PDB file of all heavy atoms in Angstrom:
ATOM      1  N   SER A 107    -112.605-137.925 -21.547  1.00  0.00           N
ATOM      2  CA  SER A 107    -112.452-136.892 -22.639  1.00  0.00           C
ATOM      3  C   SER A 107    -111.037-136.614 -22.784  1.00  0.00           C
ATOM      4  O   SER A 107    -110.198-136.943 -21.964  1.00  0.00           O
ATOM      5  CB  SER A 107    -113.320-135.726 -22.273  1.00  0.00           C
ATOM      6  OG  SER A 107    -114.728-136.005 -22.013  1.00  0.00           O
ATOM      7  N   GLY A 108    -110.738-135.806 -23.760  1.00  0.00           N
ATOM      8  CA  GLY A 108    -109.439-135.283 -23.932  1.00  0.00           C
ATOM      9  C   GLY A 108    -109.397-134.274 -25.115  1.00  0.00           C
ATOM     10  O   GLY A 108    -110.504-133.932 -25.623  1.00  0.00           O
ATOM     11  N   PHE A 109    -108.161-133.697 -25.406  1.00  0.00           N
ATOM     12  CA  PHE A 109    -108.138-132.743 -26.593  1.00  0.00           C
ATOM     13  C   PHE A 109    -106.831-132.816 -27.107  1.00  0.00           C
ATOM     14  O   PHE A 109    -105.775-133.276 -26.574  1.00  0.00           O
ATOM     15  CB  PHE A 109    -108.553-131.307 -26.102  1.00  0.00           C
ATOM     16  CG  PHE A 109    -107.465-130.735 -25.073  1.00  0.00           C
ATOM     17  CD1 PHE A 109    -106.368-129.955 -25.414  1.00  0.00           C
ATOM     18  CD2 PHE A 109    -107.615-130.915 -23.762  1.00  0.00           C
ATOM     19  CE1 PHE A 109    -105.485-129.414 -24.523  1.00  0.00           C
ATOM     20  CE2 PHE A 109    -106.763-130.433 -22.792  1.00  0.00           C
ATOM     21  CZ  PHE A 109    -105.635-129.618 -23.225  1.00  0.00           C
ATOM     22  N   ILE A 118    -104.115-134.715 -24.621  1.00  0.00           N
ATOM     23  CA  ILE A 118    -104.093-134.479 -23.298  1.00  0.00           C
ATOM     24  C   ILE A 118    -105.380-135.173 -22.703  1.00  0.00           C
ATOM     25  O   ILE A 118    -106.451-134.903 -23.240  1.00  0.00           O
ATOM     26  CB  ILE A 118    -104.097-132.962 -22.994  1.00  0.00           C
ATOM     27  CG1 ILE A 118    -102.905-132.312 -23.566  1.00  0.00           C
ATOM     28  CG2 ILE A 118    -104.068-132.745 -21.400  1.00  0.00           C
ATOM     29  CD1 ILE A 118    -101.673-132.577 -22.764  1.00  0.00           C
ATOM     30  N   THR A 119    -105.202-135.843 -21.536  1.00  0.00           N
ATOM     31  CA  THR A 119    -106.436-136.408 -20.840  1.00  0.00           C
ATOM     32  C   THR A 119    -105.984-136.440 -19.272  1.00  0.00           C
ATOM     33  O   THR A 119    -104.814-136.152 -18.894  1.00  0.00           O
ATOM     34  CB  THR A 119    -106.888-137.710 -21.418  1.00  0.00           C
ATOM     35  OG1 THR A 119    -108.074-138.013 -20.659  1.00  0.00           O
ATOM     36  CG2 THR A 119    -105.810-138.801 -21.160  1.00  0.00           C
ATOM     37  N   ASN A 120    -106.809-136.954 -18.485  1.00  0.00           N
ATOM     38  CA  ASN A 120    -106.493-137.271 -17.036  1.00  0.00           C
ATOM     39  C   ASN A 120    -105.823-138.590 -16.917  1.00  0.00           C
ATOM     40  O   ASN A 120    -106.094-139.593 -17.606  1.00  0.00           O
ATOM     41  CB  ASN A 120    -107.707-137.239 -16.182  1.00  0.00           C
ATOM     42  CG  ASN A 120    -108.238-135.918 -15.899  1.00  0.00           C
ATOM     43  OD1 ASN A 120    -109.407-135.738 -15.706  1.00  0.00           O
ATOM     44  ND2 ASN A 120    -107.422-134.851 -15.846  1.00  0.00           N
ATOM     45  N   HIS A 122    -106.160-140.588 -14.417  1.00  0.00           N
ATOM     46  CA  HIS A 122    -107.290-141.516 -13.898  1.00  0.00           C
ATOM     47  C   HIS A 122    -108.204-142.008 -14.949  1.00  0.00           C
ATOM     48  O   HIS A 122    -108.783-142.997 -14.692  1.00  0.00           O
ATOM     49  CB  HIS A 122    -108.101-140.955 -12.652  1.00  0.00           C
ATOM     50  CG  HIS A 122    -109.093-139.965 -13.164  1.00  0.00           C
ATOM     51  ND1 HIS A 122    -108.979-138.528 -12.996  1.00  0.00           N
ATOM     52  CD2 HIS A 122    -110.410-140.099 -13.542  1.00  0.00           C
ATOM     53  CE1 HIS A 122    -110.069-137.918 -13.442  1.00  0.00           C
ATOM     54  NE2 HIS A 122    -110.958-138.851 -13.790  1.00  0.00           N
ATOM     55  N   VAL A 123    -108.310-141.388 -15.977  1.00  0.00           N
ATOM     56  CA  VAL A 123    -109.103-141.846 -17.267  1.00  0.00           C
ATOM     57  C   VAL A 123    -108.456-143.073 -17.900  1.00  0.00           C
ATOM     58  O   VAL A 123    -109.181-144.005 -18.234  1.00  0.00           O
ATOM     59  CB  VAL A 123    -109.276-140.712 -18.324  1.00  0.00           C
ATOM     60  CG1 VAL A 123    -109.847-141.360 -19.508  1.00  0.00           C
ATOM     61  CG2 VAL A 123    -110.173-139.617 -17.713  1.00  0.00           C
ATOM     62  N   GLY A 234    -117.260-138.746 -17.323  1.00  0.00           N
ATOM     63  CA  GLY A 234    -117.042-138.669 -18.684  1.00  0.00           C
ATOM     64  C   GLY A 234    -116.440-137.428 -19.138  1.00  0.00           C
ATOM     65  O   GLY A 234    -115.769-137.333 -20.183  1.00  0.00           O
ATOM     66  N   ASN A 235    -116.598-136.325 -18.367  1.00  0.00           N
ATOM     67  CA  ASN A 235    -116.000-135.010 -18.714  1.00  0.00           C
ATOM     68  C   ASN A 235    -114.529-134.913 -18.377  1.00  0.00           C
ATOM     69  O   ASN A 235    -113.826-134.149 -18.906  1.00  0.00           O
ATOM     70  CB  ASN A 235    -116.692-133.845 -17.959  1.00  0.00           C
ATOM     71  CG  ASN A 235    -117.814-133.290 -18.651  1.00  0.00           C
ATOM     72  OD1 ASN A 235    -118.907-133.343 -18.184  1.00  0.00           O
ATOM     73  ND2 ASN A 235    -117.529-132.652 -19.887  1.00  0.00           N
ATOM     74  N   SER A 236    -114.025-135.857 -17.545  1.00  0.00           N
ATOM     75  CA  SER A 236    -112.632-135.902 -17.087  1.00  0.00           C
ATOM     76  C   SER A 236    -111.767-135.811 -18.282  1.00  0.00           C
ATOM     77  O   SER A 236    -111.773-136.851 -19.109  1.00  0.00           O
ATOM     78  CB  SER A 236    -112.382-137.148 -16.093  1.00  0.00           C
ATOM     79  OG  SER A 236    -113.060-137.073 -14.873  1.00  0.00           O
ATOM     80  N   GLY A 237    -110.706-135.028 -18.182  1.00  0.00           N
ATOM     81  CA  GLY A 237    -109.659-134.947 -19.249  1.00  0.00           C
ATOM     82  C   GLY A 237    -110.053-134.025 -20.359  1.00  0.00           C
ATOM     83  O   GLY A 237    -109.160-133.654 -21.208  1.00  0.00           O
ATOM     84  N   GLY A 238    -111.209-133.474 -20.350  1.00  0.00           N
ATOM     85  CA  GLY A 238    -111.697-132.546 -21.453  1.00  0.00           C
ATOM     86  C   GLY A 238    -111.198-131.184 -21.087  1.00  0.00           C
ATOM     87  O   GLY A 238    -110.875-130.890 -20.027  1.00  0.00           O
ATOM     88  N   PRO A 239    -111.347-130.256 -22.121  1.00  0.00           N
ATOM     89  CA  PRO A 239    -110.868-128.886 -21.967  1.00  0.00           C
ATOM     90  C   PRO A 239    -111.893-127.986 -21.125  1.00  0.00           C
ATOM     91  O   PRO A 239    -113.041-128.171 -21.513  1.00  0.00           O
ATOM     92  CB  PRO A 239    -110.601-128.440 -23.423  1.00  0.00           C
ATOM     93  CG  PRO A 239    -111.629-129.154 -24.179  1.00  0.00           C
ATOM     94  CD  PRO A 239    -111.785-130.437 -23.593  1.00  0.00           C
ATOM     95  N   VAL A 250    -107.877-128.327 -17.528  1.00  0.00           N
ATOM     96  CA  VAL A 250    -108.391-129.622 -17.860  1.00  0.00           C
ATOM     97  C   VAL A 250    -109.271-130.196 -16.771  1.00  0.00           C
ATOM     98  O   VAL A 250    -108.891-130.348 -15.665  1.00  0.00           O
ATOM     99  CB  VAL A 250    -107.066-130.593 -17.953  1.00  0.00           C
ATOM    100  CG1 VAL A 250    -107.525-132.022 -18.348  1.00  0.00           C
ATOM    101  CG2 VAL A 250    -106.108-130.080 -19.047  1.00  0.00           C
ATOM    102  N   ASN A 251    -110.518-130.403 -17.172  1.00  0.00           N
ATOM    103  CA  ASN A 251    -111.503-130.809 -16.139  1.00  0.00           C
ATOM    104  C   ASN A 251    -111.073-132.142 -15.523  1.00  0.00           C
ATOM    105  O   ASN A 251    -110.722-133.131 -16.238  1.00  0.00           O
ATOM    106  CB  ASN A 251    -112.892-131.035 -16.920  1.00  0.00           C
ATOM    107  CG  ASN A 251    -113.316-129.727 -17.519  1.00  0.00           C
ATOM    108  OD1 ASN A 251    -113.253-128.644 -16.846  1.00  0.00           O
ATOM    109  ND2 ASN A 251    -113.772-129.783 -18.806  1.00  0.00           N
ATOM    110  N   ARG A 252    -111.161-132.149 -14.256  1.00  0.00           N
ATOM    111  CA  ARG A 252    -110.642-133.306 -13.446  1.00  0.00           C
ATOM    112  C   ARG A 252    -111.687-134.006 -12.610  1.00  0.00           C
ATOM    113  O   ARG A 252    -111.765-135.176 -12.394  1.00  0.00           O
ATOM    114  CB  ARG A 252    -109.451-132.811 -12.666  1.00  0.00           C
ATOM    115  CG  ARG A 252    -108.810-133.902 -11.729  1.00  0.00           C
ATOM    116  CD  ARG A 252    -107.824-133.515 -10.933  1.00  0.00           C
ATOM    117  NE  ARG A 252    -107.519-134.489  -9.840  1.00  0.00           N
ATOM    118  CZ  ARG A 252    -106.501-134.327  -8.905  1.00  0.00           C
ATOM    119  NH1 ARG A 252    -105.774-133.280  -8.885  1.00  0.00           N
ATOM    120  NH2 ARG A 252    -106.423-135.172  -7.957  1.00  0.00           N
TER     121      ARG A 252
END
Side-chain angles (χ1 to χ4, degrees):
S107 305
F109 64 92
I118 300 285
T119 189
N120 284 149
H122 76 259
V123 169
N235 271 116
S236 293
V250 179
N251 298 317
R252 175 184 166 183

